Amino acid sequence: MSLVIRPLRPGLMDCMGAVLRGSWGSGCWCMFPRLTSAANQLGSRGRREAMTRLARRPRAPGLLAFDGEEAVGWIAIAPRKELKRVDASRATPRVDGVDVWVIPCITVSPSARGRGIAKAMIKAAVAYAKKHGAPAVEAYPRAGSARTKDDNAFFGTEPLFRAAGFKVIAGPTTGRLPRVTMRCA
């Protein structure tokens, strides 16, 4: 495997779509964490256009992983204040006043799973955030180590983030899907 991880740019939107095809993200385009519920009524085409606009900025909204020419993974990374739903959610409460960046979602193509791509993307996202001034990066994965259907793990799992160097700093939350707050400083 020759894994290369690149920032999302407008010319790579079809690659992002290929990674998301057949999963939770095929209509979301990873815009759900960024938008209020009213703004999230854009539809799939509107969300793709919104993500394309974000990809035009100097700081990309996330990273794509490629194995050779094939796009095999996507990870979103942004300052928490840009992720309106994350910032307002009871499942992902603020822990302190640190101006963290957040990894709200991650996915690896089914054919590429089990090869360490998710862990490599997490580490690349942390490096990307730090390069852009992030004091720390947080994630809010599913609490515990129980296995789950792959499509239900788009916000990651506690063991995955632990393996990438994150530590639990709060939680677990209560509710249907208990989550922990994990941070990499």
Side-chain angles (χ1 to χ4, degrees), residues 9-75:
R9 296 291 169 225
L12 296 175
M13 291 303 295
D14 287 342
C15 295
M16 181 183 182
V19 172
L20 300 179
R21 191 171 297 121
S23 77
W24 57 270
S26 60
C28 172
W29 290 94
C30 214
M31 290 302 296
F32 184 83
R34 297 173 181 280
L35 303 173
T36 62
S37 42
N40 226 338
Q41 303 304 315
L42 295 171
S44 180
R45 178 183 224 162
R47 287 188 288 274
R48 179 187 169 127
E49 290 168 1
M51 182 56 73
T52 303
R53 284 191 299 276
L54 291 175
R56 286 188 185 108
R57 299 183 328 188
R59 182 182 34 81
L63 308 172
L64 283 168
F66 292 85
D67 182 4
E69 296 296 316
E70 180 186 8
V72 294
W74 160 255
I75 187 166

Side-chain angles (χ1 to χ4, degrees), residues 71-124:
V72 294
W74 160 255
I75 187 166
I77 181 78
R80 183 180 169 107
K81 64 186 174 203
E82 290 182 16
L83 303 169
K84 307 290 187 228
R85 278 208 187 224
V86 171
D87 208 28
S89 176
R90 289 186 306 228
T92 56
R94 283 188 178 272
V95 174
D96 54 32
V98 176
D99 194 17
V100 298
W101 283 40
V102 171
I103 296 172
C105 48
I106 181 171
T107 192
V108 175
S109 297
S111 63
R113 291 180 183 155
R115 300 189 312 196
I117 294 170
K119 181 179 169 184
M121 287 192 310
I122 292 168
K123 288 183 172 196

